[in-house]
């Protein structure tokens, strides 16, 4: 059973995407342009319906009831008949870009045909992964419901200080269980998603086969994912604050310049984030499962150590 080398793989993902950023962008340029259009369109719609002003109000300047009413009006104002087709187009563009990035990382394939057979297979596999995730979350929700029922029962019986002390002890035990459960959900989700690079490189098997092939790596994959996502989310949180801070200033020229620079930075980081997501799946798949024909170590972007 192959184990994922967590720290080395995290380093390979960031260093590989950083070195090959422009090469990856131009490899899937048509799909990337479509994704940028879809993202810009969604941001524009959210801006027009007042999402960013709502986010500002949620900082504590407005009562929760008023925020809820504004949120309802915002949802009703979204042109869903236009949004849904755009989202579907974005899903196809995402699959096209992902397949080419997977193949570049894992096979060194720099070709970029408009469409590949693997593109539609990638979309179909994504649907299957979502189905299995839905089943998993149903089971998790059922378990969470049982835990909530236990807590509610304990709270109902907490009629004195001793009861509250027992309830506090229960929460003290529950907190680490929640953290462990969250890490487990990440590990399970990522193991299912490793079926996507398998499809992209034309490997035999599907979601179930990839799941079995990655057994014994759930916690390693969870840690690997957190070490990659946490710094990325921190950067995106900072960028989101910059966007919220500049939207009110978009009426004057200085504000427009600042907003344009913020948007440009957002595009660069958005593509970097997408490439990181694809590369992290590719590296994990290569290290755990290996490539068709046994070429486990032949990666273009990640460039692993010899013999692994």
């Amino acid at each position: 059973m192959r184990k994922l080398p967590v720290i080395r793989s995290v380093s390979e993902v960031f260093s590989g995407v950083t070195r090959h950023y422009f090469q990856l962008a131009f490899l899937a340029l048509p799909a990337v342009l479509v994704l940028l259009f879809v993202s810009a369109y969604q941001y524009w719609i959210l801006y027009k319906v007042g999402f960013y002003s709502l986010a500002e109000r949620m900082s504590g300047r407005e009562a929760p009831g008023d925020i809820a009413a504004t949120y309802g009006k915002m949802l009703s104002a979204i042109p869903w008949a236009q949004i849904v087709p755009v989202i579907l187009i974005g899903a196809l563009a995402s699959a096209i870009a992902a397949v080419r990035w997977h193949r570049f990382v894992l096979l060194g394939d720099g070709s970029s045909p408009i469409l590949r057979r693997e593109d539609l297979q990638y979309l179909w596999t994504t649907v299957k992964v979502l189905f299995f995730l839905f089943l998993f979350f149903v089971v998790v929700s059922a378990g969470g419901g049982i835990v909530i029922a236990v807590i509610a029962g304990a709270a109902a019986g907490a009629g004195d200080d001793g009861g509250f002390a027992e309830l506090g002890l229960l929460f003290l035990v529950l907190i680490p269980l929640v953290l462990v459960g969250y890490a487990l959900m990440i590990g399970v989700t990522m193991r299912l998603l490793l079926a996507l690079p398998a499809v992209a490189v034309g490997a035999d098997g599907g979601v179930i086969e990839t799941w079995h092939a990655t057994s014994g790596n759930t916690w390693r994959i969870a840690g690997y994912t957190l070490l990659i996502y946490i710094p990325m989310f921190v950067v995106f949180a900072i960028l989101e604050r910059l966007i919220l801070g500049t939207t009110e200033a978009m009426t004057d020229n200085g504000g427009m310049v600042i907003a344009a620079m913020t948007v440009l930075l957002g595009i660069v980081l958005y593509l970097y984030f997408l490439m990181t997501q694809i590369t992290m799946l590719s590296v994990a798949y290569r290290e755990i499962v290996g490539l068709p024909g046994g070429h486990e170590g032949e990666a273009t972007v990640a460039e692993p150590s010899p013999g692994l």
Side-chain angles (χ1 to χ4, degrees), residues 83-100:
I83 285 288
V84 172
V86 171
I87 292 175
L88 293 177
I89 293 173
L92 178 58
S94 297
I96 292 173
V99 167
R100 281 137 192 82

Side-chain angles (χ1 to χ4, degrees), residues 13-221:
V13 170
F14 283 119
S15 63
V17 173
T18 302
R19 289 197 310 271
H20 297 271
Y21 179 89
F22 292 103
Q23 191 172 1
L24 288 168
F26 283 106
L27 181 64
L29 186 58
V32 165
L33 293 176
V34 172
L35 286 173
L36 290 178
F37 167 77
V38 169
S39 178
Y41 179 78
Q42 291 173 341
Y43 268 106
W44 176 249
I45 290 297
L46 291 177
Y47 172 72
K48 292 291 287 184
V49 300
F51 173 80
Y52 293 115
S53 61
L54 177 64
E56 184 69 23
R57 294 173 186 175
M58 290 177 66
S59 62
R61 301 179 182 178
E62 193 168 334
D66 295 334
I67 293 176
T70 304
Y71 183 74
K73 293 179 180 178
M74 182 193 73
L75 288 178
S76 62
I78 294 177
W80 294 105
Q82 301 174 27
I83 285 288
V84 172
V86 171
I87 292 175
L88 293 177
I89 293 173
L92 178 58
S94 297
I96 292 173
V99 167
R100 281 137 192 82
W101 290 340
H102 281 307
R103 294 182 65 84
F104 178 73
V105 172
L106 293 173
L107 303 177
D109 183 3
S111 62
S112 183
I114 296 178
L115 283 175
R116 301 184 63 99
R117 176 176 54 88
E118 292 86 358
D119 296 339
L120 295 180
Q121 291 179 332
Y122 198 91
L123 279 176
W124 176 236
T125 302
T126 301
V127 172
K128 291 191 290 184
V129 168
L130 291 175
F131 172 75
F132 283 110
L133 283 176
F134 171 76
L135 295 180
F136 174 70
F137 287 131
V138 166
V139 174
V140 170
S141 299
I146 295 174
V147 172
I148 292 174
V150 171
I151 294 175
D160 51 27
D161 292 340
F164 282 111
E166 292 178 0
L167 187 58
L169 180 61
L170 180 61
F171 275 107
L172 187 63
V173 174
L174 184 61
I175 290 174
L177 289 178
V178 169
L179 295 177
V180 170
Y182 181 69
L184 177 62
M185 291 172 61
I186 293 175
V188 169
T189 301
M190 293 301 294
R191 282 182 60 188
L192 291 171
L193 287 173
L194 289 185
L196 297 177
V199 170
V201 298
D204 295 331
V207 179
I208 299 298
E209 291 79 1
T210 305
W211 172 264
H212 289 306
T214 58
S215 62
N217 282 277
T218 301
W219 301 112
R220 287 174 175 265
I221 294 177

